[in-house]
Amino acid sequence: MTGLLLRLAGPLQSWGERSVFSAVRDTARFPTRSGLTGILAAAQGLARGDSLDRYDQLEFTVRVDRPGILLSDFHTAGGGLPNHLTAATSGGKNKGDAVITRRHYLADAVFVAAISGHPDHIEQLAEALQHPHWAPYLGRRSCLPDEPFLLRSNVADPVAELLTGVPLSSPYTDERRTSAAPQQAPQVEFLWEQPPADGREAVRLTANDHPVTFAQHGRNHTKRHLYRTVEQLPATLLEPSERTLHQRLIDYATQSAPNTESTEIPA
């Protein structure tokens, strides 16, 4: 098993847990398996009706650097248009009026995801993420990711990198608050797909976000279990210095690591 590391950060992101359109478009408080699978499938150029079986053996681990702030947006579509140009109904007719929804987002959130799988599969995914067929987005097309997005590919132990290697974003949106504070070992939330092997206490969660199909008129998901823990990370991951967080992330993404099987660096 090897893996790759994605940094999921941007002004807004939204990880919906419902597979059907509704007046309230929710967001989970963390990247869903469906959303992460969608990023990979889009990068590889899969059509909506294509099989997702290839992603079933992947394991996703998420580090919550900054949980973000829940934001609700009042959204309308199709207002002021002739009847035949308004939004369509499931029966193929037109609504004749504006569609009103409330869309939820996470503002200023930062996550780092470790995706583990068979080395051949990880190599294919890394190549696709470096040269994506369709551009990645953080749950919705309007939510573009910050750079660097793909931190490293073909890492021998990506979870260990989450625990000891990947620079940690400040829990505050203003980094100066961190740089002015004394350095302490930060406690950071993790989301695992397997319970801790050492029997440590973990909060078990259930999410309806394992995608079966992304077919446009038949999206379907099944439930999976998640295990939430709080891990104490080295203070050096949050160490303030003359270099900005972005510079430290670029350094991390471009340096050769001893536990990396491939030194190919994303452009």
Side-chain angles (χ1 to χ4, degrees):
M1 298 283 281
T2 60
L4 52 84
L5 296 162
L6 296 179
R7 185 171 183 269
L8 309 167
L12 294 174
Q13 42 192 297
S14 185
W15 308 98
E17 290 187 279
R18 297 185 182 133
S19 60
V20 295
F21 188 90
S22 64
V24 178
R25 307 299 301 276
D26 68 336
T27 179
R29 300 307 296 260
F30 52 84
T32 58
R33 184 176 178 108
S34 175
L36 293 171
T37 300
I39 290 174
L40 302 178
Q44 292 192 297
L46 268 67
R48 282 199 172 273
D50 289 347
S51 172
L52 302 176
D53 291 350
R54 69 181 71 184
Y55 304 112
D56 285 348
Q57 301 306 313
L58 296 176
E59 185 171 336
F60 297 86
T61 305
V62 173
R63 189 181 81 182
V64 183
D65 287 22
R66 188 160 65 228
I69 300 170
L70 188 63
L71 174 70
S72 180
D73 174 42
F74 179 78
H75 182 91
T76 64
L81 297 175
N83 182 72
H84 69 282
L85 294 179
T86 59
T89 67
S90 59
K93 297 181 180 180
N94 295 86
K95 290 183 178 294
D97 203 350
V99 175
I100 298 174
T101 64
R102 292 189 180 274
R103 304 190 178 193
H104 293 177
Y105 299 87
L106 299 177
D108 295 320
V110 180
F111 307 95
V112 183
I115 303 175
S116 306
H118 188 277
D120 291 342
H121 194 186
I122 294 298
E123 183 177 358
Q124 294 170 9
L125 293 175
E127 172 65 22
L129 288 165
Q130 291 174 35
H131 308 284
H133 185 90
W134 286 299
Y137 51 84
L138 305 179
R140 292 196 186 131
R141 290 187 180 89
S142 60
C143 301
L144 302 180
D146 287 347
E147 292 290 350
F149 174 63
L150 175 59
L151 289 176
R152 284 187 181 170
S153 58
N154 294 336
V155 180
D157 192 344
V159 172
E161 288 297 301
L162 290 184
L163 293 166
T164 62
V166 180
L168 184 65
S169 298
S170 167
Y172 310 108
T173 56
D174 185 349
E175 287 189 66
R176 290 173 296 179
R177 294 181 64 181
T178 299
S179 61
Q183 280 306 294
Q184 299 178 348
Q187 293 188 324
V188 179
E189 183 177 298
F190 275 66
L191 294 162
W192 314 82
E193 292 195 312
Q194 301 295 332
D198 57 6
R200 288 182 298 116
E201 182 178 354
V203 177
R204 179 171 156 170
L205 308 174
T206 301
N208 189 47
D209 68 347
H210 191 125
V212 177
T213 175
F214 289 142
Q216 188 169 2
H217 298 293
R219 298 184 190 183
N220 190 22
H221 299 75
T222 59
K223 291 183 180 180
R224 65 169 178 148
H225 295 301
L226 291 166
Y227 301 87
R228 183 173 61 199
T229 66
V230 175
E231 307 293 337
Q232 187 164 300
L233 305 187
T236 53
L237 298 188
L238 195 57
E239 182 178 5
S241 68
E242 295 181 356
R243 300 185 66 75
T244 66
L245 172 64
H246 185 260
Q247 289 170 328
R248 291 190 291 122
L249 287 166
I250 293 296
D251 289 344
Y252 176 82
T254 56
Q255 71 182 351
S256 297
N259 66 333
T260 301
E261 296 181 358
S262 171
T263 58
E264 184 180 355
I265 303 301

